[in-house]
Amino acid sequence: MRRIALVASLLAALLASVPAGAQSSTMKDLLGNLWARLRAATPRANPAVASTTVTAGLRGAEATESELKPYWKSDREQDPAALAERQALDHAQSLADAGNYAEAARAFDAFVQANPRSPLAPNALFGAALARAALGDRGQAASAMETFLKQSPQHPLAKDAEQALAALR
């Protein structure tokens, strides 16, 4: 934790020592890198390469009186609700990719409101924070990053969120 605080303070000091015009460029580079990390951490609705992965397991104890029922772990590929979630997140991301950050922030927020328990909700929260940062609203972006870190401290993007939060302050 001390290491993270040290890195954050060094980053803040570095940004404070950079002229305002260069700060804008530094923030733009950071946002570009974070958008790429978000895209990489978000599953795609249409994988480029078709593949089949099968995972099977059994629940319960084997007994002659009961039948064993197989289940599929994380089989959401054909689930219409899961497909709709991924399409909604893809839509928000495409808005951000097109530079329409205001609409992207609204789309990410709408995703979180509609799907608060989705495994993709943290990605949408992270995306909303990045969109607000891209719009120049550092206060709301920092608040959203703090919420993301509070709700998903073990998320693969948590370290990136800490880095962004340090730059936003």
Side-chain angles (χ1 to χ4, degrees), residues 23 33 43 58 78 81 101 105 113 117 127 130 138 140 163:
Q23 263 189 17
N33 290 337
L58 299 176
Q78 302 304 318
Y101 299 115
Q113 289 295 320
R117 297 189 190 277
L130 290 180
R138 289 177 174 242
Q140 281 191 342
Q163 180 184 14

Side-chain angles (χ1 to χ4, degrees), residues 51-156:
S51 65
T52 301
T53 303
V54 178
T55 306
L58 299 176
R59 284 191 181 166
E62 186 174 351
T64 56
E65 303 87 41
S66 65
E67 78 179 63
L68 296 173
K69 296 183 180 177
Y71 71 97
W72 301 104
K73 184 176 182 182
S74 300
D75 183 18
R76 298 186 70 198
E77 290 300 314
Q78 302 304 318
D79 179 15
L83 292 173
E85 284 178 14
R86 289 187 7 202
Q87 288 173 344
L89 193 59
D90 285 347
H91 173 68
Q93 182 66 54
S94 67
L95 289 169
D97 290 343
N100 192 348
Y101 299 115
E103 280 294 313
R106 284 192 286 277
F108 282 124
D109 287 342
F111 182 92
V112 173
Q113 289 295 320
N115 308 290
R117 297 189 190 277
S118 169
L120 299 175
N123 293 33
L125 188 56
F126 188 86
L130 290 180
R132 286 190 172 73
L135 289 169
D137 191 347
R138 289 177 174 242
Q140 281 191 342
S143 176
M145 281 296 176
E146 289 170 349
T147 301
F148 169 82
L149 286 168
K150 191 182 314 176
Q151 291 178 1
S152 306
Q154 300 302 316
H155 194 277

